[in-house]
Amino acid sequence: AGLSAEQVDRVLAAKVTGGLVLHELTRDRDLAAFVAFSSAAGTLGGAGQAPYAAANAFLDGLMSWRRGQGLPGTSLGWGLWAERSDMTNDLGHADLARWERIGLGAMETDPALRLLDRAIATGEAALLPLRLHLPALRATREQVPPVLRGLAGVPGRGQGTGTRETLRQRLADRPAAERERLLLDLVRTHVATALGHPSPASVEPGRSFKDLGFDSLTAVELRNRLTAATGLRLPATLIFDYPEPATLARHLLAELAGTLPSGARTRAQQSHSDDDPIVIVGMACRYPGGVSSPEGLWELVASGGDGIGGFPVDRGWDLGALFDPDPERPGRSYVREGGFLYDAGDFDAGFFGISPREALAMDPQQRLLLETSWEALERAGIDVASLRGKDAGVFVGLMHHDYSARLHTTPADLEGHIGIGNSGSVASGRVAYTFGLEGPAVTIDTACSSSLVALHLAGRALRA
């Protein structure tokens, strides 16, 4: 999900474009052979190598298609060669050890060339020239690519679950104070294995996984190893959510607590709901610089731009008299620019069932809240009408509302709306009332932390 289109295109170009060009230039030639060097990643998958796996799968498909057209075609999904090349020069000890652990060893050059000769002679469209280490496949059966598990043989009775049951029993038999230490030893052991360290003693419990040397591939491997050891469903983001071995061990203890006999459970399991993820499914925003969407905000940041511009001309300000280069002059401005929402005065009052007079008396922040609340629901694909009468809450972080304070004299036709329209406590209630939401409606003013506290309370309310 973190790949850009440019990264994908760059990887696909070499094999996809190269394969197509060679096919088109030679399709009318009388070729004895058409051999493509693919990769086992196209069949077995490749963690962190999605476009590379896809490019090689395309070559495999192209050779199969050529065979169907009566043309020669052989795609060889190579495994790792022991002889170093530009592609493999950066592989370290931990990378090679990872391949060995799942039964995919490196091939020496002479045996690999013999496999090349044999593969071309078979007449098959796609083959996998690999060096498989069957004892390793059997030892780590649940961590090898699924297509290879049959080669590892059928696990014996109890195999695959014995380790998990033994772990749970060991936890149940130990005092509560020792359980975290047991799980920390487990984590450190698997960390050492994933990184290729000779002993868990070299894994510092309080050191971050990033500093220990983890990358995306070793992160996934550690997750897989701990999944097999504990039987828990663990996310691919495990070491990012719990960034040190000690923190991860405490999390595993909390997760496993619910699977222990009732007498062996600890208070750790009571915090399980705290790990329930809160998911953001829709966003909307308004920022200076013409930003009217999350995408617009990202474009502004990515381009290195800013939201500073001239004073708006529709606020009734005397711009000619406002500026004074002397910063000591009261009631004047010694700058000519600032960060403004130029469209803050634009509001479709009728859309929200509000009269023009009431809209004029409302703090613009309340208008913007209505607009962005509607947009957030719309972008989430939620029909606003479907929420009416539902237990949905509104948590608003709001500070510094001085709209009405700028009025020296309240116009007579706005008097009835000024109070509600400029009360911070009303902001959340107005959104809830407009959309018919019947959950909590809370406005938070804790100064600069208002938005953060509002998000925190909203998350707590959902978990409760």
Side-chain angles (χ1 to χ4, degrees), residues 65-265:
W65 183 84
R66 282 180 57 91
R67 288 273 178 175
Q69 300 296 308
L71 301 171
T74 303
S75 184
L76 302 181
W78 291 103
L80 183 65
W81 285 46
E83 184 174 328
R84 290 303 182 105
S85 67
D86 287 343
M87 281 188 66
T88 59
N89 274 337
D90 292 334
L91 293 179
H93 172 72
D95 301 305
L96 298 175
R98 185 188 309 119
W99 285 93
E100 291 284 351
R101 283 196 299 275
I102 62 173
L104 299 175
M107 296 178 288
E108 296 298 332
T109 301
D110 287 342
L113 292 175
R114 288 196 293 272
L115 283 178
L116 171 63
D117 293 336
R118 291 184 61 183
I120 295 175
T122 64
E124 296 287 342
L127 299 106
L128 297 179
L130 300 169
R131 184 172 81 81
L132 298 177
H133 186 54
L134 293 182
L137 283 176
R138 296 188 183 104
T140 57
R141 184 176 185 276
E142 295 185 8
Q143 297 178 42
V144 302
V147 72
L148 296 180
R149 289 178 189 167
L151 296 175
V154 179
R157 186 175 182 180
Q159 184 177 337
T161 59
T163 302
R164 302 169 188 172
E165 296 307 318
T166 301
L167 174 63
R168 291 188 174 91
Q169 189 58 53
R170 290 171 65 195
L171 287 170
D173 293 343
R174 293 197 178 196
E178 295 185 15
R179 291 174 190 154
E180 185 175 322
R181 189 181 315 129
L182 172 62
L183 284 169
L184 179 58
D185 290 342
L186 175 75
V187 170
R188 294 174 72 193
T189 297
H190 287 292
V191 167
T193 302
L195 295 177
H197 294 331
S199 166
S202 61
V203 179
E204 300 175 32
R207 194 175 181 190
S208 72
F209 288 112
K210 180 180 179 181
D211 289 342
L212 287 170
F214 272 82
D215 57 20
S216 58
L217 295 181
T218 43
V220 171
E221 183 188 354
L222 179 61
R223 186 279 305 266
N224 292 344
R225 297 183 69 83
L226 292 175
T227 294
T230 63
L232 298 171
R233 293 187 63 182
L234 301 172
T237 57
L238 184 68
I239 71 168
F240 304 101
D241 299 334
Y242 307 96
E244 304 92 20
T247 305
L248 178 54
R250 288 192 291 271
H251 168 67
L252 294 178
L253 178 59
E255 292 291 296
L256 285 166
T259 69
L260 301 180
S262 57
R265 297 181 189 177

Side-chain angles (χ1 to χ4, degrees), residues 253-378:
L253 178 59
E255 292 291 296
L256 285 166
T259 69
L260 301 180
S262 57
R265 297 181 189 177
T266 69
R267 289 176 59 86
Q269 70 193 91
Q270 298 174 8
S271 65
H272 176 75
S273 63
D274 288 344
D275 295 326
D276 188 17
I278 301 298
V279 183
I280 296 174
V281 296
M283 297 174 65
C285 64
R286 299 285 190 276
Y287 285 101
V291 173
S292 59
S293 68
E295 292 85 355
L297 177 60
W298 174 247
E299 289 169 6
L300 181 69
V301 174
S303 66
D306 62 57
I308 302 302
F311 285 3
V313 296
D314 62 347
R315 306 289 165 87
W317 300 345
D318 185 353
L319 299 181
L322 183 60
F323 175 77
D324 191 301
D326 182 5
E328 301 299 323
R329 289 285 300 277
R332 303 295 182 91
S333 170
Y334 62 94
V335 297
R336 297 179 184 271
E337 296 182 323
F340 297 97
L341 300 185
Y342 292 106
D343 299 326
D346 298 337
F347 179 66
D348 189 349
F351 182 82
F352 293 100
I354 297 172
S355 71
R357 280 198 307 165
E358 183 176 7
L360 189 59
M362 287 168 58
D363 186 323
Q365 293 183 92
Q366 292 193 20
R367 305 180 208 153
L368 292 166
L369 272 173
L370 288 171
E371 291 179 352
T372 51
S373 297
W374 178 279
E375 284 184 21
L377 293 169
E378 190 173 54

Side-chain angles (χ1 to χ4, degrees), residues 396-400 444-456:
V396 173
L398 183 70
M399 64 172 284
H400 191 70
I444 309 298
D445 184 356
T446 55
C448 297
S449 62
S450 297
S451 295
L452 181 63
V453 175
L455 277 172
H456 170 71

Side-chain angles (χ1 to χ4, degrees), residues 8-25 34 54-56 58-59 62:
V8 174
D9 289 343
R10 186 167 63 248
V11 176
L12 292 182
K15 296 205 172 190
V16 174
T17 305
L20 280 174
V21 169
L22 288 173
H23 160 70
E24 292 168 355
L25 292 177
F34 188 118
N56 287 293
F58 173 83
L59 278 184
L62 177 62

